[in-house]
Amino acid sequence: MDLGYWLPLFFAGAMGLALLIYVVLDGYDLGIGLLLPFADEDEKDVMVAAIGPFWDANETWIVLGVGILLIAFPQAHGLVLTSLYLPVTLMLMGLILRGVSFDFRVKAGDKHKAKWNMLFAVGSLIASVSQGWMLGAFVTGLTGDATNTLFAFLIALALPALYIMLGASWLLIKTEGALFKKAVHWGRLAVLPMGAFLLLISIATPLVSATIAEKWFTLPNAIGLMPIPIATGLAYAGLIWVFNSNRILHNGYGWLAFLSLIVMCVLASIGLAYSLFPDIVLGRLSIWEAASATESLLFTFWGTVITLPMILCYTFFIYRVFRGKATDLSYE
Amino acid sequence: MEFDPFLLARLQFAANISFHILFPTITIGLCWVLFYFRLRYTFSGDKAWEYAYFFWVKIFALSFALGVVSGITMSFQFGTNWPGFMERAGNIAGPLLGYEVLTAFFLEASFLGIMLFGKNRVSNRLHLVSCALVAVGTSFSAFWILSLNSWMQTPTGFRLEDGVFFVDSWWEAIFNPSFPYRLAHMLNASLLTAAFLIMGVSAWRARRQVDGPATWKVMRTGALMAAVLAPLQVWIGDLHGLNTLEHQPAKIAAMEGIWETEKGAPLTLFGFPDEEAKTNHMAITIPHGASLILTHDWNGEIQGLNEFGDDIPPVAPVFWSFRVMVGVGMLMVLVGWWAAWRLFRRRDENRDNQIWLLRALSVMTFSGWVAVLAGWYVTEIGRQPWIVSGLLRTSEVVADHSSATVMGTLFGYVLLYAFLLVSYIAALRYMATKPARSLTLTPQQRAMKAERIDDESAQGEA
């Protein structure tokens, strides 16, 4: 077996998986940050309690994603991150602000709480928009001309919409009563804009990138790809249906909305992976050109196959421990 | 005025890592202290230890959050500001960082949830295990990152092909010559930082008469730690210094301000290094001192900065940082011993009898931070102009950004960090004065005599 061929492939897959998990998991807690200003004071506490035990570990997935980029594809790591200098810096400042606000809001004293709530929302917004910007710039090969910038701008707006939907859906699982009703309301408001963005991006992607257009619309691949948009459409329809069916919502099946969103994210990642492969920077660098030495990859490979399943197991365990409706966050 | 983008990039990295290291330094040590509080409570049933745990776990959570978010910044900065480092040394640096994420970050971040909020959701035993796992995670994290840092200081186990590093032996790369010393020095520094933090906050509470049942117990725990670990740190530091002399003599020459190679080199206690004139002004020296300390020989030869041509670190910052670190370290030894002697003798918990000690401990609250930052400045600035000692120059790996870009983001970071640091200390003060629900376990009691708080009164107040 040719390790020099398979190991970069393995790490490209692992990186994709880490970033997918990041988008879903940190997506819902960033989304809750975005929704925070629309809740009243007590509801804010419950919303934060709904993400309290999880956000730290959620955020670690982006460190793993970027970590794999750095470990396995050092050539790409430098190119990607220097090109994305500005959005990365903004995202980091956003993540810093929201991460610390989470703790400061309950520890700095009541008279400062409103300020930290505000910074929590602002930080979440900066981080989400910057991530969309980064994704948009990355998908178009980091070229930064006018069309691509416009495309990046489009994704910069779309990603927060997705995060809001994830946040609202997470609240369906973790809350009850008035806040639950609010979450339904927020979801209903955001679901159409999110769908519109999704459609716009799907149309714009092949337009901004000839490479991707070719990959999408050449026969017979185009037929093989059809299940992706169809399944995405179905999942989206399911999402709308869940949010509009009181019967589903009030019988405790609200988690179906979150599931639909996961399905959509998975499908989008598959589509994205297909569009980029075998490049790690579209049209500029393939995963094999960017990969580090095989012996280094092999050393990390063993660590990854041992620890990653363990990480997934205890992540599952943590979610089990904190299952059910969110209760007051208490250290005692 | 045009600033050198290279210098700005270094300043930006220095600002980020200086801010970041403050919090892991606290959490690595504090986490083991918390585990100890939990153990004491589990075995003794003494509510005071549980109270101590709940009081300090809040400060831990806040410190941890600051460490996590500033740490994420670090992982990105390698790429945004120093892309050449990963392109050249990525084969070695990458896996070490990868193992840190895989074995440490997820472990600590995941079980932190249970440690903080899981008290009523899991058994006491599992909660205890979670605390231990978070503590193990923070220490694993230190293990990998210090291994990488040490490899950059004393690289081994590699070969160079066309300027790119390839690994020959992982064992030699990970356990490179300076690693054991640096790891021991840093872990011990974390425990000491935590010791002075818990003593300082407890002393502040005792002085303000808001002390709860655990205040003096916590203070004694810190005093015992400091009394044992501070002298231990002096010894580890000496060993580390000898290791540096062997592998990075230029750094030692800068630390000691030795310009010319000489036998029986004097120890400069104080002075102003002058790089132009290659001398120290107004130097106060102990004859033969440096030779005695570094070579353990009265007339031992010490290499001066003249041996290394232009490849020498900036002398004054290294020289000064070293004196600050050693000075604070010595103060920690003295205060640690004083505190242990005062607090364990007759267990005197009267505020007025102990007022001078309490004042001293309050002043020393963040002494660990000062020593740790100074120590890192010595070792990191002392490595310059290299990013990988003797093999790769820092200037070769810097990203090509305009100075305006780097200046702008640097300004943003510094502003943000200053704001967060002020907020952190303010929050600590606030929590120390009004530690939320935990304090209602018992009324505020000055000079608590009773070792155990009976359950009835605790429930009555809750």
Side-chain angles (χ1 to χ4, degrees):
Chain A
M1 199 165 77
D2 181 9
L3 289 177
Y5 176 81
W6 287 106
L7 285 173
L9 207 58
F10 168 81
F11 281 105
M15 183 172 79
L17 181 69
L19 291 175
L20 169 65
I21 295 177
Y22 174 76
V23 166
V24 172
L25 294 185
D26 215 30
Y28 78 72
D29 65 52
L30 281 163
I32 285 177
L34 294 171
L35 290 169
L36 204 69
F38 305 104
D40 68 32
E41 289 313 304
D42 290 341
E43 289 167 351
K44 285 188 170 96
D45 288 342
V46 181
M47 287 167 76
V48 171
I51 55 179
F54 313 113
W55 76 271
D56 231 327
N58 292 350
E59 220 153 72
T60 310
W61 289 99
I62 200 174
V63 180
L64 181 64
V66 172
I68 295 177
L69 182 66
L70 173 154
I71 299 158
F73 309 107
Q75 308 298 325
H77 181 255
L79 180 61
V80 172
L81 292 185
T82 41
S83 309
L84 297 178
Y85 188 80
L86 212 56
V88 164
T89 307
L90 282 175
M91 176 195 77
L92 292 171
M93 288 178 177
L95 287 180
I96 290 173
L97 269 183
R98 71 182 292 273
V100 302
S101 303
F102 185 90
D103 271 277
F104 275 127
R105 65 185 287 283
V106 284
K107 291 182 180 125
D110 289 341
K111 70 175 189 252
H112 299 294
K113 195 170 175 180
K115 174 181 84 183
W116 290 110
N117 280 336
M118 198 260 293
L119 286 175
F120 186 60
V122 170
S124 303
L125 184 65
I126 296 173
S128 322
V129 171
S130 314
Q131 283 172 6
W133 179 0
M134 286 159 65
L135 183 65
F138 177 70
V139 170
T140 50
L142 307 170
T143 43
D145 59 39
T147 331
N148 291 348
T149 309
L150 199 68
F151 181 75
F153 182 71
L154 183 66
I155 299 194
L157 295 178
L159 205 61
L162 172 69
Y163 287 171
I164 284 177
M165 284 309 297
L166 281 163
S169 305
W170 185 250
L171 291 177
L172 296 186
I173 301 172
K174 302 302 277 185
T175 63
E176 44 203 348
L179 183 53
F180 180 89
K181 289 205 181 80
K182 271 194 184 171
V184 172
H185 177 64
W186 291 330
R188 283 176 188 168
L189 283 178
V191 74
L192 286 178
M194 187 198 82
F197 278 126
L198 197 70
L199 195 66
L200 265 176
I201 290 168
S202 309
I203 296 168
T205 307
L207 290 178
V208 294
S209 166
T211 326
I212 294 181
E214 198 185 306
K215 282 185 181 165
W216 283 15
F217 301 120
T218 331
L219 291 169
N221 293 15
I223 298 169
L225 286 174
M226 280 318 280
I228 296 181
I230 293 173
T232 309
L234 287 175
Y236 181 66
L239 183 67
I240 294 179
W241 182 48
V242 171
F243 265 100
N244 286 296
S245 160
N246 285 328
R247 205 161 50 88
I248 295 177
L249 290 172
H250 293 295
N251 284 320
Y253 291 100
W255 54 270
L256 281 170
F258 200 74
L259 186 68
S260 312
L261 284 162
I262 293 178
V263 170
M264 291 173 74
C265 289
V266 171
L267 289 165
S269 321
I270 294 173
L272 185 62
Y274 172 79
S275 307
L276 293 177
F277 187 82
D279 289 353
I280 192 149
V281 180
L282 191 68
R284 289 166 77 172
L285 205 57
S286 80
I287 56 172
W288 296 285
E289 287 163 352
S292 51
T294 305
E295 63 254 46
S296 296
L297 290 181
L298 193 62
F299 179 64
T300 317
F301 172 79
W302 292 118
T304 311
V305 291
I306 294 167
T307 53
L308 201 57
M310 285 167 66
I311 291 168
L312 290 169
C313 282
Y314 61 67
T315 301
F316 179 75
F317 171 73
I318 304 290
Y319 275 86
R320 242 187 76 84
V321 167
F322 292 101
R323 68 185 179 278
K325 301 294 176 188
T327 43
D328 237 6
L329 273 194
S330 160
Y331 290 121
E332 294 150 45
Chain B
M1 185 176 164
E2 184 68 12
F3 284 95
D4 177 12
F6 171 58
L7 183 67
L8 288 172
R10 277 185 60 200
L11 281 176
Q12 185 172 112
F13 199 78
N16 279 312
I17 203 148
S18 300
F19 181 74
H20 171 66
I21 196 63
L22 298 176
F23 303 101
T25 302
I26 288 182
T27 52
I28 293 167
L30 188 56
C31 202
W32 288 109
V33 175
L34 282 169
F35 179 60
Y36 170 77
F37 290 163
R38 280 294 276 116
L39 269 183
R40 284 298 295 263
Y41 170 64
T42 304
F43 286 112
S44 70
D46 183 344
K47 286 261 180 213
W49 291 111
E50 191 183 33
Y51 171 90
Y53 174 82
F54 286 135
F55 178 78
W56 281 97
V57 83
K58 290 188 194 68
I59 292 171
F60 176 78
L62 181 64
S63 314
F64 196 91
L66 280 152
V68 168
V69 293
S70 57
I72 295 176
T73 315
M74 303 311 309
S75 69
F76 279 88
Q77 283 232 328
F78 290 126
T80 52
N81 290 26
W82 308 100
F85 177 63
M86 278 301 145
E87 282 159 22
R88 306 279 285 275
N91 287 327
I92 289 167
L96 298 184
L97 289 169
Y99 272 90
E100 184 180 12
V101 178
L102 290 167
T103 63
F105 286 176
F106 277 106
L107 194 67
E108 45 185 353
S110 299
F111 285 94
L112 183 73
I114 295 189
M115 181 174 169
L116 297 182
F117 308 117
K119 187 79 197 322
N120 295 321
R121 297 236 178 196
V122 297
S123 65
N124 185 53
R125 182 183 297 179
L126 186 57
H127 192 250
L128 201 56
V129 169
S130 299
C131 292
L133 285 175
V134 176
V136 168
T138 56
S139 299
F140 271 176
S141 173
F143 175 92
W144 292 110
I145 201 70
L146 288 171
S147 173
L148 173 56
N149 181 274
S150 301
W151 182 84
M152 290 160 70
Q153 307 273 358
T154 54
T156 44
F158 67 92
R159 62 178 192 280
L160 264 170
E161 286 174 20
D162 300 328
V164 176
F165 291 90
F166 290 86
V167 78
D168 271 335
S169 156
W170 281 111
W171 183 266
E172 281 179 31
I174 293 169
F175 295 97
N176 57 77
S178 64
F179 175 52
Y181 302 99
R182 187 168 282 106
L183 179 67
H185 205 39
M186 183 62 201
L187 288 181
N188 202 39
S190 285
L191 287 167
L192 267 175
T193 304
F196 277 90
L197 180 74
I198 62 176
M199 280 196 288
V201 172
S202 302
W204 193 81
R205 281 164 59 69
R207 275 170 60 209
R208 296 281 297 248
Q209 305 190 359
V210 289
D211 45 339
T215 304
W216 291 86
K217 282 176 192 287
V218 169
M219 222 187 306
R220 274 197 296 274
T221 306
L224 189 62
M225 284 170 72
V228 176
L229 298 177
L232 183 68
Q233 187 73 330
V234 174
W235 181 62
I236 298 171
D238 179 52
L239 291 177
H240 193 171
L242 295 178
N243 179 268
T244 309
L245 180 68
E246 189 183 337
H247 296 277
Q248 297 173 289
K251 189 191 285 185
I252 290 287
M255 282 156 65
E256 300 292 359
I258 298 171
W259 296 92
E260 303 286 336
T261 302
E262 61 182 307
K263 289 189 169 136
L267 180 70
T268 306
L269 293 179
F270 181 84
F272 295 95
D274 180 342
E275 291 199 40
E276 299 289 311
K278 299 197 184 305
T279 185
N280 305 323
H281 299 298
M282 299 170 66
I284 301 169
T285 60
I286 299 176
H288 297 274
S291 285
L292 190 66
I293 289 176
L294 288 163
T295 62
H296 296 182
D297 173 7
W298 185 253
N299 278 317
E301 184 178 276
I302 311 268
Q303 283 185 302
L305 289 158
N306 61 320
E307 304 273 340
F308 308 97
D310 288 335
D311 293 335
I312 56 165
V315 179
V318 177
F319 179 89
W320 278 111
S321 301
F322 181 62
R323 268 140 200 83
V324 169
M325 178 190 76
V326 172
V328 174
M330 292 302 167
L331 207 56
M332 286 169 119
V333 174
L334 294 177
V335 174
W337 282 344
W338 182 30
W341 177 64
R342 291 286 312 189
L343 292 173
F344 282 94
R345 206 185 46 151
R346 293 199 310 269
R347 305 215 161 197
D348 185 352
E349 294 183 356
N350 185 305
R351 166 182 170 273
D352 298 325
N353 292 346
Q354 303 280 22
I355 193 69
W356 281 103
L357 176 67
L358 297 180
R359 280 179 189 151
L361 290 176
S362 309
V363 171
M364 295 285 283
T365 307
F366 295 106
S367 54
W369 276 4
V370 178
V372 163
L373 278 183
W376 276 109
Y377 291 157
V378 172
T379 204
E380 294 296 281
I381 301 174
R383 193 190 58 228
Q384 304 303 328
W386 308 101
I387 189 159
V388 179
S389 274
L391 298 165
L392 187 60
R393 284 170 196 280
T394 315
S395 58
E396 288 176 77
V397 302
V398 68
D400 183 23
H401 297 299
S402 74
S403 62
T405 310
V406 186
M407 183 75 138
T409 48
L410 171 63
F411 187 69
Y413 277 123
V414 169
L415 220 59
L416 180 61
Y417 290 156
F419 166 66
L420 292 180
L421 203 57
V422 170
S423 304
Y424 177 79
I425 293 173
L428 223 60
R429 247 184 107 99
Y430 176 79
M431 281 189 274
T433 316
K434 189 177 172 297
R437 270 173 290 193
S438 298
L439 194 66
T440 59
L441 278 174
T442 61
Q444 299 171 4
Q445 283 165 309
R446 187 147 72 98
M448 276 270 310
K449 287 290 191 288
E451 286 291 295
R452 280 169 187 267
I453 302 128
D454 61 60
D455 284 341
E456 243 172 81
S457 77
Q459 279 159 7
E461 295 290 332

